[in-house]
Amino acid sequence: MNTQAHPSPQFFMTAPATCPYLPGQVERKVFTHLVGQRAPEMNDILTQGGFRRSQNIAYRPACESCRACVSVRILVDQFQPTDSMKRVLRKNHDLVAKEYAAEPSTEQFTLFRKYLDSRHQTGGMSDMSVLDYAMMVEDTHVNTRVIEYRIREEGDGVQLRPGGRLIATALTDIMSDGLSMVYSFYDPDEESRSLGTWMILDHVNRARARGLPHVYLGYWVDGSRKMTYKTRFRPQEHLLSQGWTLFEPPADHPDP
């Protein structure tokens, strides 16, 4: 397939495949390549239009009979952590975060494999090798960063690279209007820390510090238990047929 940059992006459609989120459903995706000098600009436009990035591909669901996948973004300026989120912040006061260029490491891959083997033993990513991981991180034509989260050790904050144990990592795109969380993973042995929540809260703070209005969380799938956590980070907008719309949960909708 030709992946050369074109003045206008060319879009393609995947073959039908089993939906990973809803039983009995079939998914298809429309996708294009993010290559060339216009890749950052196109990534911004497509992400704002409901696409997600994976390596040098931008994709979005194009299912014939289902519209359950909804793009979600947090409104950074209005966001305030809940009491439970404040407890997560306090619990992780001993962590130090550092942002780097999109370069993989053996330490990251070891943590990544541990996360997959614990949380995602089946699925498209379950058999990813070290080369696959390197491609996931490095194969980008946009402004992508790796954020490492480590347990603070004496001297961290003075050294160029913190020396504490790596317990979480986020792959993040920096766009003109926000941060897009491409993929994140963490040590499953540290479940009590709620590191998934911690990383989202950290991204809200990073976006606020950069003066960016949004944190993009990818897709929320109503009816998928693994996606319910995303609706906790409010106020947030969902991309509906009429455009980005403030999410208003039903009165009987409990926080997950």
Side-chain angles (χ1 to χ4, degrees):
M1 184 178 293
N2 184 6
T3 60
Q4 295 299 312
H6 291 267
S8 297
Q10 293 183 314
F11 291 90
F12 308 90
M13 187 78 76
T14 63
T18 301
C19 176
Y21 302 114
L22 299 177
Q25 294 290 341
V26 174
E27 71 166 1
R28 298 190 73 182
K29 295 185 177 77
V30 60
F31 69 95
T32 188
H33 293 91
L34 289 171
V35 294
Q37 294 183 346
R38 292 192 62 206
E41 174 191 356
M42 291 306 304
N43 189 47
D44 282 13
I45 293 170
L46 292 172
T47 301
Q48 293 159 9
F51 280 71
R52 292 286 286 164
R53 186 184 69 81
S54 177
Q55 296 177 218
N56 64 5
I57 298 290
Y59 68 91
R60 67 170 297 172
C63 307
E64 295 178 2
S65 60
C66 180
R67 296 292 182 270
C69 293
V70 177
S71 293
V72 174
R73 66 186 186 187
I74 302 169
L75 298 178
V76 168
D77 291 341
Q78 302 172 47
F79 176 82
Q80 294 294 329
T82 64
D83 288 342
S84 64
M85 292 174 187
K86 290 177 182 177
R87 288 194 291 271
V88 171
L89 291 170
R90 289 194 294 270
K91 189 175 294 185
N92 291 286
H93 73 280
D94 61 335
L95 297 188
V96 57
K98 190 76 173 180
E99 190 176 303
Y100 302 100
E103 297 176 356
S105 71
T106 301
E107 192 179 18
Q108 291 168 19
F109 177 71
T110 299
L111 180 62
F112 176 69
R113 278 290 359 151
K114 185 177 182 180
Y115 175 77
L116 290 184
D117 293 343
S118 173
R119 297 301 182 92
H120 300 283
Q121 297 178 357
T122 61
M125 302 182 73
S126 60
D127 59 351
M128 285 181 65
S129 67
V130 64
L131 179 58
D132 296 326
Y133 176 75
M135 290 293 290
M136 183 177 81
V137 174
E138 292 179 329
D139 193 3
T140 174
H141 292 249
V142 303
N143 186 7
T144 303
R145 307 291 284 175
V146 169
I147 305 171
E148 294 184 346
Y149 301 88
R150 297 176 181 272
I151 297 176
R152 189 184 303 274
E153 286 189 350
E154 185 176 353
D156 286 344
V158 177
Q159 302 177 64
L160 186 61
R161 296 185 73 97
R165 180 167 64 88
L166 181 69
I167 64 170
T169 302
L171 186 65
T172 302
D173 288 347
I174 302 175
M175 308 190 312
S176 62
D177 74 325
L179 302 181
S180 177
M181 297 185 69
V182 177
Y183 195 77
S184 59
F185 53 94
Y186 53 86
D187 188 342
D189 293 339
E190 298 284 349
E191 185 172 6
S192 64
R193 288 180 176 269
S194 301
L195 290 168
T197 296
W198 161 256
M199 283 189 279
I200 293 175
L201 295 173
D202 180 68
H203 277 70
V204 169
N205 289 334
R206 288 174 182 275
R208 184 176 288 137
R210 283 181 161 95
L212 299 173
H214 305 119
V215 171
Y216 288 84
L217 296 182
Y219 299 118
W220 169 67
V221 182
D222 193 9
S224 173
R225 291 182 60 187
K226 66 175 68 174
M227 293 289 191
T228 55
Y229 73 92
K230 294 186 180 183
T231 58
R232 295 178 57 222
F233 298 87
R234 302 194 292 264
Q236 64 180 234
E237 292 180 323
H238 290 190
L239 184 57
L240 306 178
S241 58
Q242 64 269 35
W244 287 101
T245 303
L246 187 66
F247 172 63
E248 298 287 355
D252 59 351
H253 176 84
D255 278 339

